[in-house]
């Protein structure tokens, strides 16, 4: 929010993170209600937004407002129809609070709900605002709906969207709208037409495992399906709206993409590591110092060296190495590796600390926590014993304040 706090919500979860402390507001939220939640009530929160006065709005089974000291709840007395699921909400560029639910859509102004005449036709799962100021409503069967301040526009499978259950909407630098669906692939709206990337283009129902927009504004998609046959390892989408299935790259499942910012795109997968220079692919192999590896994670450090997390099939160990364009240098080797172990994430911090996640490629219940390599200080490992929520680490991110976020 505007005060630098990071808010969290979920199933019986509500709070914010500030000054290295998580402030749990869920018990206070429960105490503030006039009556306890019914047994069949969904207890999750489906949206968080801060208004111009600094109040935080929350989409539970009621619409709630938190002013920093206490909660206030709004329901049918304010004109809000009952929703089977928690309310979705968002504040648009004009400062208006939008609220959505089970076939519910409208604005909440001066403590009163004003429904629109436009029906969402289904559950509104998420509400977002794009770079152009349009408000988007992601529904569970009614397609993607946009509002430009005057008119509503619905995009469904009849318009070319891959599927009518919408997970999220994303605007790229060129103004294209990317629509992620639940089970049908990815669609692109420009907004003159919609282009669908689905199974006909080699995209399995599970969708891409990893996405990256390179310095030339090409979108790259890497595929690593677990439950459907692999059709293509990697596909790119260029500025000419052309799909490029790079069938010459027999990578197997693609797990990692990394643009070094100097014209080289590195691609990692179960059959090794390749580099694309804008014209052709080249394998990094034994002549470069790599033999029989499966690459799971990639990043670059502040000296533009490539950092590679991989499983070495020669000695059955998880390793991390750096590559300067000529030579490889192994930084870490887990001598107690299991066949399913992998490096799930790599992050180079502002202070040049290498952080990495230790997990497994298939079993989501197993993991070894996180490790870090500090210059001149060696390795350190952190697990649930040191306070991690779970030892299976899925992803890592360093924010603008230098804090490390860990997804488990």
């Amino acid at each position: 929010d505007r005060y630098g706090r990071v808010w969290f919500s979920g199933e019986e979860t509500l709070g914010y993170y500030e000054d290295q402390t998580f402030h749990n507001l869920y018990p206070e939220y429960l105490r503030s209600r006039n009556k306890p939640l019914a047994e069949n009530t969904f207890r999750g929160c489906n949206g968080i937004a801060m208004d111009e006065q600094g109040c935080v709005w929350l989409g539970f089974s009621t619409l709630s407002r938190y002013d920093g000291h206490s909660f206030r709840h709004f329901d049918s007395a304010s004109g809000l129809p009952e929703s089977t699921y928690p309310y979705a909400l968002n504040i648009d560029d004009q400062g208006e609070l939008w609220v959505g639910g089970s076939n519910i859509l409208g604005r909440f102004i001066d403590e009163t709900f004003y429904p629109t005449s436009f029906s969402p036709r289904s559950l509104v799962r998420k509400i977002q605002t794009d770079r152009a100021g349009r408000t988007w409503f992601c529904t569970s069967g009614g397609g993607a709906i946009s509002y430009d301040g005057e008119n509503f526009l619905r995009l469904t499978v009849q318009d070319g969207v891959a599927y009518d259950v919408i997970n999220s909407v994303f605007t790229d630098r060129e103004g294209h709208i990317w629509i992620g669906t639940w089970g049908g692939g990815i669609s692109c709206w420009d907004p003159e037409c919609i282009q669908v990337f689905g199974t006909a283009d080699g995209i399995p129902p599970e969708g891409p495992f990893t996405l990256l927009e390179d310095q030339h504004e090409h979108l790259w998609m890497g595929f690593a399906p677990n439950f459907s046959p692999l059709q293509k390892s990697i596909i790119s989408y260029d500025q000419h709206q052309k799909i490029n299935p790079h069938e010459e790259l027999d990578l197997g499942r693609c797990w990692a993409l990394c643009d070094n910012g100097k014209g080289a795109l590195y691609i990692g997968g179960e059959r090794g590591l390749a580099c694309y220079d804008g014209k052709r692919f080249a394998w990094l192999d034994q002549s470069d110092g790599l033999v029989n590896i499966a690459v799971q994670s990639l990043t670059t450090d502040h000296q533009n060296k490539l950092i590679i997390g991989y499983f070495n099939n020669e000695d059955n160990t998880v390793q991390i190495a750096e590559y300067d364009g000529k030579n490889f240098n192994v930084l870490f080797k887990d001598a107690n590796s299991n066949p399913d172990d992998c490096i799930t994430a790599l992050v180079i911090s502002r202070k040049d600390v290498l952080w990495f996640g230790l997990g497994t490629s298939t079993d989501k219940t197993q993991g070894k926590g996180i490790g870090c390599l500090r210059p001149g200080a060696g390795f350190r490992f952190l697990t649930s014993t040191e306070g991690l929520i779970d030892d299976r680490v899925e992803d890592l991110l360093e924010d603008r304040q230098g804090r490390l976020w860990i997804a488990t």
Side-chain angles (χ1 to χ4, degrees):
D1 64 18
R2 69 181 64 171
Y3 305 116
R5 300 173 298 191
V6 180
W7 287 80
F8 296 86
S9 68
E11 187 72 14
E12 298 187 342
T13 302
L14 174 65
Y16 62 89
Y17 182 85
E18 183 181 33
D19 297 331
Q20 301 184 2
T21 301
F22 180 72
H23 301 264
N24 184 9
L25 298 178
Y26 192 71
E28 183 179 348
Y29 164 79
L30 291 178
R31 288 192 296 269
S32 69
R33 295 180 57 88
N34 295 327
K35 56 183 179 179
L37 296 173
E39 287 296 325
N40 61 348
T41 301
F42 282 86
R43 297 167 186 264
C45 176
N46 210 18
I48 304 176
M50 175 175 280
D51 64 21
E52 295 178 351
Q53 288 74 42
C55 294
V56 177
W57 292 85
L58 306 159
F60 282 96
S61 56
T62 60
L63 179 64
S64 302
R65 184 180 66 195
Y66 180 68
D67 63 7
H69 304 284
S70 61
F71 287 91
R72 184 176 176 186
H73 309 288
F74 302 91
D75 48 27
S76 57
S78 301
L80 275 169
E82 290 189 3
S83 178
T84 308
Y85 296 91
Y87 294 108
L89 55 87
N90 184 55
I91 295 177
D92 64 19
D93 289 352
Q94 285 71 47
E96 294 188 330
L97 176 63
W98 287 88
V99 180
S102 301
N103 203 26
I104 298 167
L105 182 59
R107 282 169 282 203
F108 196 76
I109 304 171
D110 295 332
E111 301 185 2
T112 302
F113 179 72
Y114 295 90
T116 67
S117 58
F118 187 91
S119 172
R121 296 182 189 168
S122 97
L123 171 69
V124 178
R125 309 175 66 220
K126 183 186 291 186
I127 306 176
Q128 301 174 255
T129 302
D130 67 20
R131 296 183 181 185
R134 290 179 295 245
T135 301
W136 287 88
F137 308 94
C138 304
T139 75
S140 290
I145 301 167
S146 71
Y147 178 69
D148 62 5
E150 295 183 0
N151 301 303
F152 286 94
L153 175 66
R154 186 191 305 274
L155 302 173
T156 67
V157 291
Q158 283 75 27
D159 304 293
V161 175
Y163 195 51
D164 281 343
V165 180
I166 311 299
N167 276 340
S168 186
V169 176
F170 171 75
T171 308
D172 66 20
R173 282 174 261 177
E174 298 244 325
H176 298 117
I177 307 297
W178 294 87
I179 302 170
T181 71
W182 191 355
I186 301 173
S187 303
C188 182
W189 185 61
D190 67 358
E192 297 300 326
C193 65
I194 290 179
Q195 187 166 357
V196 178
F197 303 148
T199 53
D201 304 289
I203 297 179
E206 296 172 62
F209 182 84
T210 182
L211 294 167
L212 179 139
E213 186 178 31
D214 66 19
Q215 61 180 333
H216 305 295
E217 299 181 359
H218 296 174
L219 181 69
W220 292 81
M221 312 173 199
F223 301 94
N226 288 318
F227 306 107
S228 57
L230 177 68
Q231 299 180 30
K232 298 177 180 67
S233 297
I234 191 164
I235 289 174
S236 66
Y237 175 83
D238 63 24
Q239 293 172 305
H240 302 291
Q241 300 182 2
K242 179 183 178 183
I243 285 286
N244 301 296
H246 299 284
E247 297 178 352
E248 68 272 29
L249 185 65
D250 186 17
L251 189 69
R253 289 180 291 174
C254 176
W255 289 311
L257 298 167
C258 181
D259 185 352
N260 72 351
K262 294 188 175 181
L265 174 71
Y266 290 96
I267 306 161
E270 62 181 329
R271 293 176 187 157
L273 178 64
C275 178
Y276 181 69
D277 63 4
K279 296 182 179 179
R280 61 184 64 87
F281 292 96
W283 286 97
L284 280 70
D285 51 25
Q286 186 171 357
S287 61
D288 300 289
L290 284 182
V291 181
N292 195 11
I293 65 170
V295 177
Q296 297 122 350
S297 298
L298 295 169
T299 192
T300 55
D301 66 13
H302 301 307
Q303 291 75 44
N304 209 42
K305 293 180 182 178
L306 183 68
I307 309 299
I308 311 160
Y310 59 94
F311 190 88
N312 189 318
N313 294 303
E314 294 292 314
D315 59 9
N316 294 318
T317 59
V318 168
Q319 300 182 19
I320 299 175
E322 62 180 8
Y323 177 63
D324 62 6
K326 295 181 180 179
N327 302 302
F328 282 89
N329 175 37
V330 176
L331 303 174
F332 167 75
K333 178 188 289 190
D334 183 3
N336 298 314
S337 299
N338 297 312
D340 202 32
D341 286 353
C342 66
I343 303 296
T344 57
L346 292 166
V347 166
I348 300 291
S349 76
R350 295 181 181 184
K351 296 182 179 180
D352 216 25
V353 177
L354 170 62
W355 291 92
F356 53 95
L358 292 161
T360 59
S361 57
T362 57
D363 190 347
K364 299 297 183 181
T365 66
Q366 301 296 318
K368 298 181 179 180
I370 61 173
C372 70
L373 173 61
R374 299 181 184 273
F379 284 96
R380 182 186 178 193
F381 297 91
L382 303 171
T383 66
S384 53
T385 303
E386 285 75 31
L388 276 181
I389 297 175
D390 194 283
D391 288 336
R392 167 69 200 194
V393 175
E394 293 286 343
D395 208 353
L396 299 170
L397 174 71
E398 185 186 42
D399 66 17
R400 295 177 182 177
Q401 285 74 43
R403 296 172 296 198
L404 183 72
W405 293 91
I406 306 164
T408 64

